[in-house]
């Protein structure tokens, strides 16, 4: 029987500067060459495990072409056991030594391991793990109907964000944005279909920007939000323009600058703006004002958001990117704002009521929102309650490909250090490795 070397790259080879540079640049041709010459992994073995034609592997290794498919990037990285952070992915399932949780997928409701939802990509390609990933073939002449088809696809893919962190979804959303950008460059249109496609590009840039932000790619997020703003202006879509500004405000490091940008986003509201859009933009203004310590403006913005939701008529169409805004989400934002303003007696009740409506399947978001509840409990010197809530948040955040829950929980854990003598706090700090 012929010798079959292990597919995985030897651990020591991953420390090599040449292969680290190749991994960062997604230069898989160089990685294939190194895998064969220094680890003894033949091209045929790589091709077999990654579902790539052997001739294609050889061509890429000789510098004739590149691997650009996200599915193949995932498959190659997992076959060679390359840690996710080296190629811009979330920690891979085989890196996780913790006990897996379970989740329902957004498309079929089947219970799957939350931390291994992308595991199928290692053998069958990413399309086996994510819903509706095959983009419809692009026509030479783009019609309104084709743009509508792409918009429905974008809406389906958006639901991945309910269950996965930006570390897992960023390249999916970025690929959609880039494909639409290429279509705008290469196809022909009617004036109507082009305007609709540019608006879709703005929407996709926001989704990719959000995933980048969630996955810790701050510079990429900012760039995508700026591109979204430009596309929304080109498409003359005031609602998307306002939302792009709201995203930029959320990311702005200076609170006063954030308030100014968020105020501009609300100025984009028109008489035709759907209620959900108005509520979304006002609640983001409320958050910017709360971070800036402006209590009165925070209350006014929250009131405006609530008034918008109350004015929403049954069956009123909402854009998919704003359809998630409802009373529960607004209550969460209200509690977050009062926490930020150091008003725990107002924050705690509203957060508890809202979180009771939140299923644990939305692990990232619930972990984040629990962090604000823990923060308010600490402000009220309810230390045991703060510790219990922090423990729940840590459990939910474990394995989620998002930097935000842990970032939010870090100052909470630091504050809990003051109460190390309390048994409940000791347990949480030990579990967190703090």
């Amino acid at each position: 029987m012929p010798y079959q070397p292990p597919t995985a790259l030897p651990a020591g080879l991953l420390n090599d500067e040449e292969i680290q540079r190749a991994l960062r640049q997604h230069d898989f041709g160089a990685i294939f060459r190194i895998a064969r010459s220094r680890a003894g992994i033949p091209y045929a073995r790589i091709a077999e495990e990654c579902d790539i034609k052997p001739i294609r592997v050889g061509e890429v290794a000789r510098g004739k072409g590149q691997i650009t498919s996200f599915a193949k990037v995932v498959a190659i990285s997992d076959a060679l056991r390359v840690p996710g952070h080296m190629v811009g992915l979330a920690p891979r399932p085989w890196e996780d030594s913790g006990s897996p949780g379970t989740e329902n997928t957004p498309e079929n409701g089947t219970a799957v391991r939350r931390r291994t939802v992308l595991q199928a990509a290692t053998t069958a390609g990413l399309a086996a793990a994510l819903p509706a990933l095959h983009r419809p073939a692009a026509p030479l002449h783009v019609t309104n109907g084709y743009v509508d088809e792409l918009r429905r696809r974008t809406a389906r893919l958006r639901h991945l964000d309910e269950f996965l962190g930006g570390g897992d979804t960023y390249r999916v959303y970025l690929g959609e944005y880039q494909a639409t950008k290429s279509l705008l460059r290469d196809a022909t249109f009617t004036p109507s279909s082009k305007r609709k496609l540019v608006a879709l590009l703005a929407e996709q840039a926001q989704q990719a920007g959000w995933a980048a932000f969630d996955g810790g790619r701050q510079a990429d997020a900012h760039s995508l939000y700026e591109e979204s703003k430009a596309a929304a202006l080109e498409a003359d879509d005031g609602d998307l323009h306002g939302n792009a500004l709201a995203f930029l405000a959320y990311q702005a490091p200076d609170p006063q600058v954030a308030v100014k940008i968020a105020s501009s986003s609300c100025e984009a509201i028109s008489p035709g703006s759907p209620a959900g859009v108005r509520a979304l933009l006002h609640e983001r203004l409320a958050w910017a004002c709360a971070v800036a310590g402006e209590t009165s403006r925070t209350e006014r913005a929250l009131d405006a958001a609530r008034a918008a939701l109350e004015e929403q008529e049954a069956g009123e169409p909402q854009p998919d990117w704003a359809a998630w805004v409802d009373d529960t989400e607004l209550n969460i934002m209200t509690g977050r704002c009062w926490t930020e303003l150091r008003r725990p007696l107002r924050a705690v009740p509203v957060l508890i009521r809202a979180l009771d409506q939140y299923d644990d399947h939305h692990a990232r978001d619930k972990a984040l929102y629990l962090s604000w509840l823990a923060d308010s409990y600490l402000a009220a010197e309810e230390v045991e309650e703060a510790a219990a809530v922090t423990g729940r948040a840590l459990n939910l955040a474990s394995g989620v490909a998002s930097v935000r829950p842990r970032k939010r929980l870090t100052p909470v854990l630091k504050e809990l250090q003051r109460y190390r003598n309390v048994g409940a706090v000791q347990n949480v700090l030990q579990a967190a490795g703090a």
Side-chain angles (χ1 to χ4, degrees), residues 176-197:
E176 292 295 299
Y177 167 73
Q178 291 173 333
T180 299
K181 205 170 185 179
S182 296
L183 186 60
L184 280 163
R185 183 184 63 242
D186 299 334
T188 61
F189 316 86
T190 65
S192 174
S193 65
K194 183 172 183 179
R195 186 183 64 79
K196 291 181 68 171
L197 192 63

Side-chain angles (χ1 to χ4, degrees), residues 301-314:
L302 289 172
D303 288 344
R306 197 163 302 282
L309 288 182
E310 289 172 353
E311 293 167 8
Q312 184 172 336
E313 298 179 2

Side-chain angles (χ1 to χ4, degrees), residues 36-48:
R36 185 172 71 169
S37 64
R38 295 167 61 183
I41 303 174
Y43 292 163
R45 188 73 183 278
I46 294 173
E48 178 185 357

